[in-house]
Amino acid sequence: MTVVQKKTDNPIAHLTADDVELLGKELDEIRQEVMDSRGESDARYIRRVIDVHRKIELGSRAVLLASGFPPAWVLGTIGLSVAKILENMEIGHNILHGQWDWMRDPKIHSTTWDWDMASPVEQWKHSHNELHHTYTNVIGKDNDLGYGIMRVDEDQPWTPMYLGQPLWSFINACFFEYGIAAYDLELGAVLAKKQTSDPEFRKRARAVLVKIGKQARKDYLVHPLLSGPNFFATLAANFTANIVRNLWSNSVILCGHFPEGVETFEKKSIEGETRGEWYLRQMLGSANISGSKAMHVLTGNLSHQIEHHLFPDLPSNRYAEIAPKIRDLFDRYGLNYHTAPLPRQVGSAWHKIIRLSLPNGWLQNTTARNLPSQLAKLWKMTTGEPKVRRRLIREQAALAAA
Amino acid sequence: MEGMTATVPRPSPARPALRALRDRVLRVAELVTTPVLPADYLDMFHPLRAGTDLRGRIEAVLPETPDAATIVIRPGADWQPHRPGQYVRIGIDVDGVRMWRAYSITSDLGRTDGCFTVTVKAIPDGRVSNHLVRRARPGTLVRLDQATGEFCLPEQRPAKALFVTAGSGITPVMGILRNHPELTDVVLVHSAPTADDVVFGAELRQMAAAGRIRLVEQHTDTAGMLDAAAIAALVPDLAERATWACGPVGMLEALEEHWAAAGMADRLYTERFRPTVLVTGEGGTVTFTENGTSLEADGATPILDAAEEAGVLMPSGCRMGICYGCVLPLREGAVRDLRTGEVTTAVPGDGVLVQTCISAAAGACHIDH
């Protein structure tokens, strides 16, 4: 992958400025149609999802009181995992986007909602709604690209440190909610600039700790205590449900912007960007997941990532309805509507994580037969003299390009 | 009837010790329900219980005239009995959108089923009134405020009373007549387009036949509107009567003028249907209620930009209407969505959240900030 502007086969080269503006107009119309038809059935939908979530959560936590009994543990843990997934994805993420603000229900509103996550909602709304959704896939602006800890582009110089990328990506996936909280705090940048004593940062850090404290107290203390003799089994169930939820949401989010073929953009390319160009960037910078209705609900309809990125504030239950229209638009404007089943998108995203953890071209040049020699080369690239390393890296890249 | 009086929550009827215990238990329960509240779970099973947001359940919708209906509502446990003549604010979801309106309570305080009623007349283009009259179904949950309003009889009942009403202006008066049989000398002058349009027509005529009230019906489709002078002619002992009037703003203003001219302004009590009609124009004065800033904004500039230019520190985000980082409650007035031209209005008591980055003033507006 490389930023779209540097590609030799630029996928938007065939579009004129007028085309792009026309595209924007068509998208505005699709958005308006949904806005005009929002109503009672949509309101019923989100209330039903919230109701179902609460009943599953309540039921699962009740079952887990008997978590010492293995079938209860299994059932309760599955239930709690599903509840936590629903709560984060279809409910929390979408309410916090303001998708349901039009209902004017103070109980289901982006400014009053709170969720079962380590991230305080205000911090998340800033880093997600404002930064990620505005600067989607712009290298250096959209920190969701690798969350500041990954090599996400061939143009980023490779260093041996990146060999650990698959491992820490996996650890990040397991503890995703804490990763997100640290990321919303811009912890990396603050540490690098040694600004941890900044009162504004301290205030935000305190908010995160309070939030984590509440969630942890619930999952790892109060609920286990209520289970009496099953304390440890219930604790383990909560821990498992949190890991499952974290792995799931991490996978969904990887699928949204990270599979092979999703485009990235240069910082300067968005200067003076028009509404049409903004739409186009969202179209090329997102990927969908195809699958069943249940899968769509469990991903918070982020399986319709393209539709979501075009219209982040439309009710999530309507994305499926506009998807065929959006796909038709892609076809008519000669653009690639990126969609695939979940395993393929997850596989593709992890393939990319692994590929970019290695020097440019290394994975491409490696076959079962030349594996020993390639590994030897990689060893030299990692431990060799700087001059040797630079030469080998250049060679690999050239070999792959040829 | 719409009223401007703020609702002051009255103490809950539950005994204080019991309430304190309940609150403590809920606080402990919050440890395991966080981030939602224990109340959110309890409400799923018992939305009308004590100690939660005040709600009501619609039990029946009884047609009164072709375009009016009485709504029977079972209120939550914390409901306080109203005083006849008062109104209640009801929040109901119309096409999925929570909308609040105030309606006069019409029921007899002596009802034994624990319900109260409001009587609603569908007004042209009235989203809530048409919904309540034509589409509301028993079982629907609504939000409620406690009853409020000052359109009530004084402790010292007047010996002689006059009620002047028009259209649905009869509703608070019906609430008074049903609950104050001790009023013996009552004249009711009521205007409606036709005899069939008189809300509570049969009951009023029965009261008149029984000699409880003197009823003057003015059917305006055939007989035209009554002016203040005509009312004075119809009720010769006007000066001896305490008068309560409820109806359209024009009628009330005419009556107020007449009573003031006759030096009896203190004998007239009025209740208005609606606050001043909103005129949505190009731009207007934006007032930020908390920091006190007022500024003139044109109809093409987002409120966010106009406010920042005036030195107001505003919450802001993407500035393109997607991130909702800039939303603030519109308490009163109107704003126009610059993207669609759609106008959002709020009446006093509302708090419609609007995105200031894509909304321009469409008339005077008050924003909480």
Side-chain angles (χ1 to χ4, degrees), chain A residues 31-32 39-40 47 54-55 57 97 101 103-105 107 109 111 115-116 129-130 134 217-218 313, chain B residues 31-32 34-36 40-41 44 53 93 95-98 317-318 322-324 327 339-340 352-353:
Chain A
R31 177 176 190 275
Q32 196 56 42
E40 206 184 321
R47 291 210 172 92
R54 287 187 183 162
K55 283 174 183 158
E57 167 127 16
H97 256 294
D101 284 8
M103 286 164 50
R104 301 189 192 171
D105 181 345
K107 293 248 179 210
H109 199 280
T111 58
W115 62 350
D116 183 12
N129 293 2
E130 287 171 36
T134 310
R217 191 173 56 200
K218 169 178 69 168
D313 60 348
Chain B
L31 294 177
V32 76
T34 185
V36 299
D40 294 325
Y41 283 103
M44 288 163 59
D53 292 337
D93 293 342
D95 298 327
V97 180
R98 177 75 43 87
C318 68
I322 59 165
C323 84
Y324 289 77
V327 290
R339 300 172 298 181
T340 58
V352 184
L353 290 146

Side-chain angles (χ1 to χ4, degrees), chain B residues 278-336:
Chain B
L278 284 170
V279 180
T280 55
E282 289 297 313
T285 310
V286 180
T287 307
F288 294 100
T289 52
E290 273 167 51
N291 69 26
T293 315
S294 232
L295 53 99
E296 289 298 321
D298 66 48
T301 307
I303 289 169
L304 178 59
D305 293 354
E308 282 181 341
E309 243 171 54
V312 183
L313 204 56
M314 297 281 284
S316 65
C318 68
R319 291 172 180 275
M320 54 196 292
I322 59 165
C323 84
Y324 289 77
C326 64
V327 290
L328 289 174
L330 176 67
R331 289 291 170 207
E332 187 182 352
V335 298
R336 177 176 289 110

Side-chain angles (χ1 to χ4, degrees), chain B residues 93 103 132 152 179 213 262 299 328:
Chain B
D93 293 342
Y103 294 105
L132 280 168
C152 304
N179 287 289
I213 61 169
L328 289 174

Side-chain angles (χ1 to χ4, degrees), chain B residues 2 36 152 198 220 228 235 268 276 282 336:
Chain B
E2 293 277 358
V36 299
C152 304
V198 176
T220 54
V235 188
L268 177 69
T276 325
E282 289 297 313
R336 177 176 289 110

Side-chain angles (χ1 to χ4, degrees), chain A residues 25 31-32 37 44 88 117 119 142 146 156 160 183 199 224 232 284-285 287 311 320 326 347:
Chain A
K25 261 205 201 99
R31 177 176 190 275
Q32 196 56 42
S37 59
R44 221 174 16 239
N88 264 203
M117 270 281 270
S119 254
D142 179 9
Q156 265 174 286
Y183 159 69
F232 287 106
L284 299 172
F311 315 117
I326 301 295

